[in-house]
Each structure stands twice: as structure tokens, then as C-alpha cells.
Amino acid sequence: MRYYAGFCILLILAAAGCGPKTIQEKITRAQQWVADGKFEKAAGELPELMRQMPTDSVVLMLGCRIYMGLNRPDSVVAYAKKFTALYERRIDGYRILYQAAGAIDDYKTQLFAVTQIGFLENDRPRYYPEIARLNFEMGSYGLGMAVCEEILKADPGNTQARFMLANGLASVGQLDSAIAIMSDLDRKNPGQIEILSNLGSFYATKQDYASALGYFQKATTLFPDYMPGWFGLGHVRLSLGDTVGAREAYRQVYQRDTTFLGVDSILRSLAPSRF
């Protein structure tokens, strides 16, 4: 009788989905749903799986993949953070964390993930450009410039590092140094839209509108669909007192995107009778 009662308890537990075999079956079924693209169905299994196996690597990675399929990067980040906290040597977790954090502009988490990837690959310098970029995105200009300097020690002509360094210098008010670096890049890489536009912005910030005008004119001539170039040209022309020229430059922006940096309001202020 005692054995019979124990057997009944096992049957009840299995029916309730509490047995290890049943859990494994649920994992396998959820994995198959993910493979078939049935992410909503797979997501329905997660609460029970996480309740019973909250630290299991397979379950946590399954959660990442389910929410990747559902285009829920915030949830992917949450699962990937749990995964990497428990499995610090698993580089796949950091790669997922980096990608998902990038989708929601979580630069701090991206920086953590890419730093760990570099550490695990024993090749941190390979990721210096991205580490520098993320520091700049977070407003940590000093750290970003320090990383750029490290890149340039090994590769003095690195265009990407010099470009980021120039922007970092401009961000902390060192415009002359920024212009010197960016001008040299312009000589060595003529006709690059980002370089031309940045030089225009640097000179405009210095209120050297005549110099800024030349760079924005060149940028819009070479790249007529580049809206930041037209917007910068409008700002410079307006600063020089050329309202007609400014209106035309802003109209070029408006024709491509009516919501770009409040261009509709600017045009109304310049030509209220037409907007």
C-alpha cells in the first residue's frame, strides 16, 4: 500500500509538469517552436521554465532567442544579463547582450559587453574603436579620446581614430586642434561627406561662417541628399544674413524630411506666408 501511494504521488507530479523529464520535454518543445518561428508559443513556456530552472544556461539562452524572434531587445538584454552574470566565460552571451543593447541605445551595457568580448578573445585592442565610440556616445569624451590615443600609438594614420579624436576635441571646446586633425583628414581623404560636414560644423561653432560656408556648399554639391549638410548650410547662410539662401537650404531639407530637426518651424519663421 505504501509503494502504491508513492507511485500515485509520482504520477501526480508528472501530470503537473514537475518531473525533470517533463521539464526537458518542455524545453525541447520550446526550442522546436523557436526553430519553426513560433516565438509566441515558445514564450508561453518561459515562465514555468524560469520558475523551475532560473539559472539553467539552456533556459536563459532560450529566453534570449525567443525575445530576439519577437523583436523585444529590452527583454533580450534582461535575459542576456542574467546569462552573463552566471556564465562569465561564455562569449556567446556577451555577443547577444552587445547586439540587443545596441538596438535600444544602451551604450553602457554595450560597452560592458564589448569589453568582455575583447577580454575573452584576449584581443582587446581589436575592439578599441568601438570602445572609443561608445564612450563618446555616453559623453565620456576624456575616456573616448584616451582610447583613440591608444589606437594611434599603434597605428598613427588610423583614419577612424583620428576622426573620432577630432570630434572629441571639438566636444570639449578644443576647436583649433579638432580643425587641424579634420583638415588633414580632408586632404588625405577628399570628398568624404562626414569630414566636410564636420569641418563646416567646427567652423560654424567658431563663428567663422565664411569658412563654414565653403565646406557646407561642397558637401551639398557632392551629396545633394545629405540633409545635415543642407541644414548646416541653412544655419550658416542665416548667420551671414542671407535669409533667401537660408530659406532655400532649409527647403531642401524639408523636401526630403518635413520633421528633420524642426525644419518646418524654421521655415515658418522665415516665410510664414508660405507655411
Side-chain angles (χ1 to χ4, degrees):
M1 186 70 179
R2 189 169 50 195
Y3 295 114
Y4 176 75
F7 178 69
C8 289
I9 291 172
L10 288 174
L11 286 177
I12 292 169
L13 289 173
C18 297
K21 184 177 179 182
T22 302
I23 290 297
Q24 185 55 53
E25 287 173 351
K26 286 188 175 184
I27 292 173
T28 302
R29 182 169 57 185
Q31 289 173 327
Q32 186 58 54
W33 279 334
V34 168
D36 294 341
K38 299 176 181 178
F39 301 107
E40 290 285 0
K41 277 193 169 184
E45 298 282 10
L46 272 179
E48 179 65 15
L49 294 177
M50 285 297 295
R51 186 182 71 80
Q52 296 199 41
M53 305 176 73
T55 62
D56 183 77
S57 63
V58 175
V59 172
L60 291 171
M61 189 57 71
L62 180 62
C64 289
R65 301 200 183 285
I66 287 171
Y67 285 113
M68 286 168 67
L70 291 172
N71 195 26
R72 290 270 304 279
D74 53 335
S75 296
V76 178
V77 167
Y79 273 88
K81 280 184 175 180
K82 292 177 184 177
F83 183 92
T84 54
L86 291 166
Y87 303 95
E88 297 178 349
R89 305 293 300 182
R90 286 280 299 271
I91 198 169
D92 52 341
Y94 293 109
R95 293 192 189 283
I96 291 172
L97 181 60
Y98 169 78
Q99 292 175 351
I104 56 175
D105 293 336
D106 183 350
Y107 303 123
K108 183 177 180 180
T109 298
Q110 269 198 300
L111 179 60
F112 165 73
V114 77
T115 301
Q116 292 301 110
I117 291 169
F119 171 75
L120 290 172
E121 289 186 351
N122 196 28
D123 190 12
R124 192 166 180 263
R126 176 185 175 189
Y127 297 95
Y128 278 169
E130 182 63 358
I131 290 171
R133 182 189 74 82
L134 291 167
N135 273 295
F136 286 131
E137 292 283 8
M138 293 189 297
S140 300
Y141 301 116
L143 289 173
M145 288 189 286
V147 177
C148 287
E149 295 286 4
E150 286 298 314
I151 297 171
L152 293 170
K153 284 180 184 178
D155 181 10
N158 188 293
T159 299
Q160 183 183 12
R162 297 186 73 208
F163 181 85
M164 288 192 291
L165 179 59
N167 277 287
L169 289 166
S171 297
V172 297
Q174 298 184 38
L175 287 165
D176 290 335
S177 297
I179 287 170
I181 294 173
M182 199 67 76
S183 296
D184 186 58
L185 288 174
D186 184 40
R187 285 189 292 271
K188 294 176 179 176
N189 305 273
Q192 295 293 314
I193 184 60
E194 293 86 359
I195 294 174
L196 293 171
S197 186
N198 274 274
L199 278 167
S201 296
F202 293 169
Y203 277 113
T205 302
K206 283 191 67 175
Q207 298 185 348
D208 182 350
Y209 298 117
S211 297
L213 180 65
Y215 284 107
F216 282 126
Q217 285 178 323
K218 189 173 183 179
T220 53
T221 299
L222 292 173
F223 303 92
D225 289 326
Y226 187 66
M227 289 184 293
W230 285 111
F231 195 90
L233 182 59
H235 168 69
V236 168
R237 287 197 180 280
L238 194 60
S239 299
L240 290 169
D242 180 6
T243 305
V244 174
R247 186 185 304 131
E248 179 54 34
Y250 285 128
R251 187 175 289 113
Q252 291 290 334
V253 178
Y254 185 84
Q255 289 173 352
R256 291 165 173 81
D257 184 351
T258 59
T259 64
F260 187 83
L261 295 179
V263 69
D264 54 339
S265 298
I266 296 173
L267 276 170
R268 285 192 186 95
S269 69
L270 294 176
S273 62
R274 298 189 61 182
F275 287 87

